[in-house]
Amino acid sequence: MPRTPAALVLLAAATLAACTPTFNWREVHPASTSLTAMLPCKPEQSQRDVPMAGRQVSLQVWGCGAGGATFAILFADIGDGGRAGEALRQWKTATLANLRSASAHETRFRPPGAVDLAQSVQVVAGGQRADGSKVESHAAYFARGTQVFQAVIYSERLQPQAADMFFAGLKFE
């Protein structure tokens, strides 16, 4: 079937949109994990001690901002894989409370290589930032061994294509 000039222009525009500098996707490998993730920007790293699953753990954060959204991978080693489900449930509950979320939509989620837990879920929720402004959140909670993970996007308005790319890029080696 011959291609019309209009079809070629649309194809070129779609190709350029996929390569937009707003989202400069890159594969990252957070230290001390076997997780591979896709982030749309160069991540900054930080850590802090938090209570999780009945003990203090070091929560590692790899995050960055692009296209008006914050993308982050958070993880901690809780030392006991048998408590991973409990840790994920508590983490999700705390996140929704911090958002002051009135409603959330939850679906099962397990990236390749993650442990199959009932608490391994994706949650889409709306809420408020600390300053009272509107925020949408799309988060996934999952585990492998003694490590628990949260992959999350915060934005005033979530972009479905960016969320799809971010969550599809999560896998364990």
Side-chain angles (χ1 to χ4, degrees):
M1 172 194 276
R3 293 188 180 194
T4 65
L8 290 175
V9 169
L10 287 174
L11 178 62
T15 301
L16 288 174
C19 298
T20 180
T22 300
F23 296 110
N24 183 8
W25 292 98
R26 67 203 61 222
E27 189 174 276
V28 298
H29 304 275
S32 74
T33 76
S34 59
L35 181 69
T36 297
M38 295 293 292
L39 285 172
C41 39
K42 184 177 180 183
E44 294 182 16
Q45 301 170 39
S46 65
Q47 71 88 31
R48 67 177 184 207
D49 291 336
V50 299
M52 189 178 286
R55 60 185 289 216
Q56 283 293 114
V57 298
S58 176
L59 180 66
Q60 305 292 315
V61 180
W62 285 47
C64 60
T70 300
F71 295 79
I73 307 290
L74 299 89
F75 58 95
D77 191 324
I78 59 171
D80 179 357
R83 298 191 75 180
E86 171 191 352
L88 295 177
R89 182 186 50 74
Q90 290 172 352
W91 201 347
K92 178 188 74 173
T93 300
T95 300
L96 292 172
N98 285 337
L99 284 171
R100 293 180 223 94
S101 179
S103 65
H105 176 71
E106 186 174 302
T107 57
R108 295 272 297 148
F109 180 78
R110 185 172 65 112
V115 177
D116 189 15
L117 297 170
Q119 298 85 357
S120 186
V121 295
Q122 267 188 333
V123 180
V124 177
Q128 294 179 347
R129 297 181 195 274
D131 67 6
S133 63
K134 177 186 171 216
V135 67
E136 292 182 4
S137 169
H138 191 161
Y141 301 86
F142 52 97
R144 178 164 177 155
T146 60
Q147 294 180 323
V148 292
F149 297 83
Q150 179 194 54
V152 64
I153 305 169
Y154 294 109
S155 179
E156 187 176 316
R157 182 149 169 74
L158 292 174
Q159 297 182 14
Q161 295 92 348
D164 291 347
M165 181 77 164
F166 179 62
F167 292 106
L170 299 168
K171 63 183 175 211
F172 290 94
E173 298 174 355

